[in-house]
Amino acid sequence: MKKISTWHIHIKGQVQGVGFRPFVYQLAKKFNLSGWVNNNRDGVHIGFNANKIVSERFYDELVSNPPQFSHITSHCIKKISSEVYRDFKILSSSNGDKPITLLSPDLSICTQCSKEVANKTNLRYEYAFTTCTQCGPRYSIIKQLPYDRENTAMDDFEMCSRCYAEYTDPMNRRHFSQTNSCSLCPVVMKLYDNRQKIIEDEPSNILNRICEYWSNGHIVAIKGIGGYLLTCDASNPNVIDELRRRKHRPSKPFALMFPDMLSLSMEVQLSEAAITALESVAAPIVLLQLKNKMTSATAIQQIAPELSTIGVMLPYTPLYQLLLQQYANPIVATSGNLSNAPIVYNDEVALNELKPLADYLLVSNREIIISQDDSVVKFSPHAQQRIMLRRARGFAPLYSTKHLSLPQTTVLATGALLKSSFSLLHAQNIHVSQYLGDTDNYDVQKNFEKTLHHFLRLFHAQPEIILVDKHPDYFTSQLGEQLAITWSSRLIRVQHHEAHFASVLGEHNLLNEAEPILGVIWDGAGLGDDNQIWGGEFFTYHHQCISRAAHFDYFNYFLGDKMAYESRLSAFSLCYEMEEAVSILQPRFAANEWSLYQKLIGLNKLKTSSVGRIFDGVASLLGLIDKQSYQGQAAMLLEENALSFFKAALKIPAAWLENGVAEHYLSTRSLMKEIIRKIKEGKDLPEIAAWFHVQLVWQYDR
């Protein structure tokens, strides 16, 4: 007879909120094991009786085929002191040591829950908050670890007898589903008008009303997983214009939500990569090319002015699924906020602050603890490589990597000024916050601090090292300095573009490479080691040291941040004292401006190598835009024109590769002279835009 021993398994990673304990229970039953499983602040623990062969088979299957949305970062098995178990049990979570587990992102509605919501015979038919262990809110509702119902925003909701039976049945997919509820113990919705009067509180009537409001050209604010979205009919140009007026958002594209993949496929070009992303558990906004702007069923000129790509997503909650199935048309779905402010997620705040923006508001009584915007991704047009543009709902705060050698030291990196986020290294786990916005906005600063301290409380973490941007005036730098004083932490200032390069090295496991590595970092602006504004940098990495190898030629950086918003100023600076440019540039300025700027730039001492400003300047020279209403607008219009030249295939004229920019390839002056020459020759704007993109890549690649 084979000897029965007692074994202990410890699994770390994203193993809470993904149905891991029920999975272990069911696997243990398959192997006829006796023992226990529980959640702890450092992951999942399992104790059981088995002989050596069975224990190894059980362990191998456990770590080889875990629940779909789990991420195991480490695991181990060891024999422990003998103890005899009579059956297999799921024990209550332990709140012992400091939490070191990974947090689960919010998950889009799963296939099974989606079917239940549509099934007239099911308990959850048309229930707008249906979830299970494989879907629903996670990160946005957690108050503390471990991830148990009493530690979430569901704490105040008492389950009905049927939900409780599911919750306590280890063989049910809703066993320990912390968000479990149904129409008998519901999350309650109420529909208000913008005078805070309740219009409707019966669920099916609420759905009917909202669809009616969309049809009649109204704007409805809807509470989702991470905050409120402002929604309206995507085919009505008048209501979209009104939404732009109310949000003070004159031209930045709006995201759309389509009822299903079929309706979406009629509007945009879908690749396999895009379909996979849209249907994934993250369910992000995906930027896709329109099939035909002229025949689009949406008001595309109002949705994405001057662009042929739109941001689209599918319904990722039961509520959105029910609404969009009934409406059967796409809607605009944009963050519930004024432009540049954080997304509104508190109900009382929404009823007050969204009054000027929305005609009606749909509120529910499940609290959002931490707000999140929708994530945004795109895929490169030819290689279909995913590019993450905004990392938030569905992705954050999970960051799982197995190849990096991480220290035990707790390190906080506070990020930079724009498109901010922070990262926390704690107990050899990396946590990357959601996109938090531009921290030159006071409300964003307050939300940044709130989210950061929520993280630190969750993990009982006090950073020993704090990394801040080299620029001393950034809010994030100043916050890091204050926290370093409070906690007596070591403060390290990091050059902005070296941080970009280091992140790429880490992501691709290149930190320990023996050969030198070239890093090309093209950006908008960052304070350099020489106190100039960098942004067109070439670095080398060797023996764990980053060195600046080359950069685009400096040009004048004047008028501060105004230069980033007025692309004509970048053109003015790039072409300063260039006689052949005067006839193109001068009409973009009033006479007094032209005279004043000539004087100011002559006195200017601050220089930049920014490729972002080079893109802005070229867009202005080509007459695409002189003043931007949102970040990146000039570059997007330049890209739009370049892609229109290449159309379906990336066929580069041979002459472009043979006769590049004269002198050396980092000469911004030579680049501008050639562009001006092409403009005066009457070359088509798309051709010049395409040539510009090719020269940037080809010339440095030589």
Side-chain angles (χ1 to χ4, degrees):
M1 182 176 179
K2 295 179 180 178
K3 183 180 178 182
I4 302 296
S5 302
T6 305
W7 304 87
H8 180 266
I9 295 173
H10 182 197
I11 299 177
K12 296 181 182 179
Q14 184 192 338
V15 291
Q16 297 184 14
V18 291
F20 211 99
R21 286 180 292 175
F23 162 75
V24 172
Y25 178 92
Q26 292 166 25
L27 189 62
K29 289 297 183 182
K30 174 183 172 181
F31 278 84
N32 294 315
L33 301 179
S34 295
W36 54 267
V37 59
N38 82 333
N39 271 346
N40 202 322
R41 289 185 170 184
D42 63 351
V44 168
H45 292 264
I46 306 161
F48 64 100
N49 300 134
N51 62 48
K52 191 172 189 302
I53 295 174
V54 173
S55 70
E56 289 175 349
R57 286 174 50 213
F58 173 70
Y59 179 53
D60 287 343
E61 187 163 342
L62 184 67
V63 298
S64 300
N65 300 291
Q68 182 180 0
F69 303 124
S70 63
H71 291 272
I72 296 175
T73 56
S74 68
H75 52 83
C76 63
I77 184 171
K78 63 180 180 180
K79 187 186 290 187
I80 59 174
S81 301
S82 180
E83 186 172 350
V84 178
Y85 306 111
R86 295 187 177 182
D87 54 12
F88 201 91
K89 296 180 178 179
I90 298 179
L91 303 181
S92 298
S93 297
S94 170
N95 295 326
D97 299 326
K98 291 183 179 181
I100 61 173
T101 189
L102 291 172
L103 295 174
S104 172
D106 297 322
L107 309 175
S108 66
I109 183 172
C110 69
T111 302
Q112 287 178 287
C113 283
S114 182
K115 289 179 179 177
E116 289 177 347
V117 171
N119 184 353
K120 291 183 179 180
T121 65
N122 193 277
L123 169 66
R124 290 180 175 81
Y125 174 62
E126 291 192 344
Y127 177 56
F129 298 90
T130 300
T131 64
C132 69
T133 55
Q134 299 302 299
C135 66
R138 298 289 190 273
Y139 170 55
S140 61
I141 64 169
I142 193 166
K143 296 179 180 178
Q144 63 183 44
L145 291 168
Y147 180 75
D148 286 325
R149 192 176 178 102
E150 62 269 23
N151 294 332
T152 73
M154 294 298 295
D155 184 31
D156 294 333
F157 292 84
E158 184 175 349
M159 284 180 277
C160 67
S161 58
R162 283 190 287 189
C163 283
Y164 186 75
E166 293 172 330
Y167 185 82
T168 53
D169 179 3
M171 303 306 290
N172 193 290
R173 85 172 198 280
R174 290 194 169 91
H175 182 54
F176 285 173
S177 173
Q178 312 305 348
T179 52
N180 199 26
S181 64
C182 72
S183 56
L184 300 178
C185 52
V187 175
V188 176
M189 297 186 293
K190 292 181 180 178
L191 184 63
Y192 289 81
D193 64 17
N194 57 10
R195 293 170 294 179
Q196 299 190 12
K197 177 184 176 183
I198 296 178
I199 302 297
E200 186 61 69
D201 59 7
E202 201 284 317
S204 62
N205 290 343
I206 286 175
L207 300 180
N208 294 335
R209 289 263 197 169
I210 291 176
C211 291
E212 177 186 327
Y213 294 151
W214 285 338
S215 294
N216 292 335
H218 293 296
I219 299 168
V220 184
I222 298 176
K223 185 179 181 182
I225 285 183
Y228 281 82
L229 292 183
L230 294 169
T231 65
C232 65
D233 182 82
S235 65
N236 186 332
N238 294 327
V239 70
I240 299 171
D241 283 339
E242 178 63 16
L243 179 58
R244 287 198 177 281
R245 187 190 67 78
R246 294 183 188 182
K247 271 183 72 84
H248 307 300
R249 183 170 169 166
S251 53
K252 188 176 182 180
F254 284 135
L256 302 185
M257 185 181 289
F258 280 76
D260 49 41
M261 194 65 75
L262 179 61
S263 61
L264 180 57
S265 67
M266 298 171 68
E267 286 286 328
V268 298
Q269 298 174 13
L270 286 168
S271 64
E272 288 187 15
I275 292 171
T276 299
L278 287 161
E279 294 180 337
S280 71
V281 65
I285 296 169
V286 181
L287 300 190
L288 295 171
Q289 192 78 19
L290 281 163
K291 283 186 172 178
N292 190 327
K293 286 184 70 172
M294 303 303 295
T295 61
S296 174
T298 65
I300 189 60
Q301 185 52 41
Q302 284 72 29
I303 292 164
E306 301 183 85
L307 300 174
S308 59
T309 57
I310 55 173
V312 299
M313 58 182 160
L314 296 175
Y316 53 85
T317 69
L319 173 59
Y320 291 136
Q321 188 177 85
L322 289 166
L323 284 167
L324 271 292
Q325 284 176 350
Q326 181 170 331
Y327 195 59
N329 287 296
I331 60 168
V332 170
T334 188
S335 300
N337 57 1
L338 283 172
S339 289
N340 299 320
I343 188 171
V344 172
Y345 65 97
N346 176 275
D347 298 338
E348 185 176 347
V349 173
L351 288 169
N352 285 284
E353 292 190 2
L354 295 184
K355 284 192 299 183
L357 304 180
D359 303 307
Y360 300 94
L361 297 93
L362 179 59
V363 174
S364 64
N365 66 337
R366 183 175 65 198
E367 184 183 3
I368 296 172
I369 306 299
I370 290 295
S371 62
Q372 290 193 91
D373 288 276
D374 294 314
S375 294
V376 183
V377 304
K378 67 179 291 187
F379 293 89
S380 59
H382 299 285
Q384 289 295 295
Q385 180 177 345
R386 191 185 77 175
I387 302 168
M388 182 73 71
L389 298 175
R390 187 167 75 191
R391 190 177 185 276
R393 177 191 54 76
F395 293 104
L398 177 68
Y399 184 84
S400 179
T401 178
K402 296 180 180 179
H403 60 248
L404 284 177
S405 178
L406 300 172
Q408 288 286 352
T409 310
T410 298
V411 182
L412 170 66
T414 59
L417 178 70
L418 305 178
K419 303 176 181 65
S420 66
S421 64
F422 61 82
S423 295
L424 177 69
L425 169 62
H426 178 65
Q428 295 183 297
N429 284 330
I430 298 174
H431 311 273
V432 181
S433 82
Q434 68 275 31
Y435 159 89
L436 292 166
D438 297 346
T439 55
D440 51 2
N441 177 287
Y442 177 75
D443 290 331
V444 172
Q445 293 175 9
K446 296 294 104 182
N447 191 46
F448 187 103
E449 288 190 83
K450 175 183 182 295
T451 306
L452 172 58
H453 287 293
H454 178 68
F455 256 78
L456 298 176
R457 282 194 301 271
L458 282 176
F459 296 106
H460 300 184
Q462 182 172 307
E464 300 157 72
I465 297 174
I466 298 178
L467 309 178
V468 300
D469 193 280
K470 189 180 183 72
H471 200 302
D473 295 334
Y474 288 173
F475 161 78
T476 51
S477 300
Q478 294 172 352
L479 176 63
E481 291 168 6
Q482 294 168 8
L483 295 177
I485 293 171
T486 301
W487 296 324
S488 299
S489 307
R490 181 185 173 197
L491 184 73
I492 300 176
R493 301 182 190 279
V494 183
Q495 200 284 317
H496 188 92
H497 303 99
E498 290 185 12
H500 282 312
F501 185 25
S503 69
V504 175
L505 292 169
E507 182 180 358
H508 294 279
N509 195 23
L510 297 172
L511 291 170
N512 297 312
E513 287 292 307
E515 295 296 317
I517 298 170
L518 174 67
V520 182
I521 308 298
W522 292 350
D523 191 17
L527 183 63
D529 293 337
D530 58 359
N531 288 321
Q532 303 296 355
I533 305 301
W534 292 5
E537 310 307 309
F538 295 76
F539 295 108
T540 57
Y541 175 78
H542 197 208
H543 300 316
Q544 298 189 327
C545 180
I546 295 176
S547 302
R548 192 189 195 199
H551 60 86
F552 276 83
D553 283 350
Y554 281 140
F555 53 98
N556 284 290
Y557 190 87
F558 75 121
L559 295 177
D561 290 339
K562 185 179 178 73
M563 191 169 174
Y565 292 100
E566 295 193 21
S567 48
R568 62 179 187 155
L569 295 177
S570 292
F572 183 91
S573 175
L574 286 160
C575 300
Y576 177 57
E577 293 185 332
M578 200 180 291
E579 283 297 322
E580 59 267 47
V582 173
S583 61
I584 297 173
L585 275 176
Q586 194 164 1
R588 289 168 166 70
F589 299 88
N592 61 332
E593 287 179 321
W594 183 262
S595 176
L596 176 62
Y597 293 162
Q598 292 282 353
K599 293 176 183 176
L600 288 175
I601 203 167
L603 299 171
N604 183 68
K605 301 297 183 185
L606 191 61
K607 307 295 181 182
T608 185
S609 57
S610 169
V611 171
R613 300 296 78 80
I614 293 174
F615 269 81
D616 292 348
V618 173
S620 177
L621 286 173
L622 296 184
L624 299 177
I625 189 169
D626 287 330
K627 296 182 180 180
Q628 303 182 77
S629 66
Y630 61 91
Q631 294 167 23
Q633 185 177 10
M636 289 171 67
L637 295 176
L638 200 58
E639 179 189 40
E640 179 81 10
N641 275 268
L643 289 174
S644 72
F645 174 81
F646 289 118
K647 296 184 172 66
L650 185 59
K651 293 182 179 178
I652 300 172
W656 290 7
L657 308 183
E658 295 166 1
N659 303 309
V661 176
E663 300 172 24
H664 73 100
Y665 57 85
L666 298 179
S667 170
T668 53
R669 194 164 188 83
S670 297
L671 194 60
M672 294 307 112
K673 281 179 176 290
E674 186 64 16
I675 287 172
I676 290 165
R677 186 182 68 80
K678 290 179 179 294
I679 292 171
K680 291 192 170 182
E681 284 180 354
K683 299 288 187 185
D684 290 338
L685 297 187
E687 179 181 342
I688 303 174
W691 177 88
F692 166 71
H693 282 81
V694 169
Q695 290 307 303
L696 288 181
V697 177
W698 172 247
Q699 292 298 319
Y700 100 75
D701 192 48
R702 293 195 305 175

